[in-house]
Amino acid sequence: VMRRLVLGEGAPCCFTESDDDPDRGTRLSAVPLEVVGSTLFALEGAYRDHRRPGRFTVSVSVPAVLFAIAVVDPYRKHRGLYASGFEALGWERVPAPEFRLEPSGAYRLHMACWRRPLAAGET
């Protein structure tokens, strides 16, 4: 199940709950202006509820621009764990050097954003 939210500064991501504390989930900071106000679909629950890879399909009846956000590893310290592959699928990277995911702990994860226009009827 997914929850529809508004993407912006302080928006919860990428799940609606934290694994440690249901009231303190992760939050986005330095969200790229290009995506502020767009619709964000977050997975209901916590990371522990969604440990397997998944697939999302979006179909549009009018022209639209899709955005994808994900944790990234700009320093390649995690052996490809955070390699999204969006560029290889034809998505364009949105410049966002300060985009971060701020969990309840003392660390901040790097985030990235990609865009892809879709024509009416395209999936």
Side-chain angles (χ1 to χ4, degrees), residues 6-11 30-39 67 94 99 113:
V6 175
L7 183 55
E9 196 68 21
V31 175
L33 290 177
E34 185 174 352
V35 301
V36 170
S38 61
T39 301
F67 292 97
V94 174
F99 193 22
C113 180

Side-chain angles (χ1 to χ4, degrees), residues 36-56:
V36 170
S38 61
T39 301
L40 169 68
F41 291 97
L43 289 167
E44 197 72 52
Y47 173 76
R48 69 178 174 274
D49 303 320
H50 305 281
R51 292 182 188 230
R52 291 191 185 163
R55 178 179 289 207
F56 300 95

Side-chain angles (χ1 to χ4, degrees), residues 42-98:
L43 289 167
E44 197 72 52
Y47 173 76
R48 69 178 174 274
D49 303 320
H50 305 281
R51 292 182 188 230
R52 291 191 185 163
R55 178 179 289 207
F56 300 95
T57 302
V58 177
S59 300
V60 297
S61 58
V62 297
V65 176
L66 295 182
F67 292 97
I69 60 174
V71 173
V72 293
D73 179 15
Y75 306 110
R76 293 182 168 83
K77 293 182 178 181
H78 300 280
R79 289 179 247 129
L81 177 64
Y82 300 112
S84 68
F86 285 110
E87 283 98 350
L89 297 171
W91 291 67
E92 176 189 352
R93 184 92 175 241
V94 174
E98 301 302 317

Side-chain angles (χ1 to χ4, degrees), residues 7-13 26-33 35-36 69 96-103 107-112:
L7 183 55
E9 196 68 21
C13 182
T26 53
R27 302 279 174 192
L28 296 170
S29 68
V31 175
L33 290 177
V35 301
V36 170
I69 60 174
E98 301 302 317
F99 193 22
R100 299 288 187 274
L101 181 63
E102 298 187 358
Y107 57 93
R108 299 171 71 213
L109 300 174
H110 292 265
M111 294 291 290

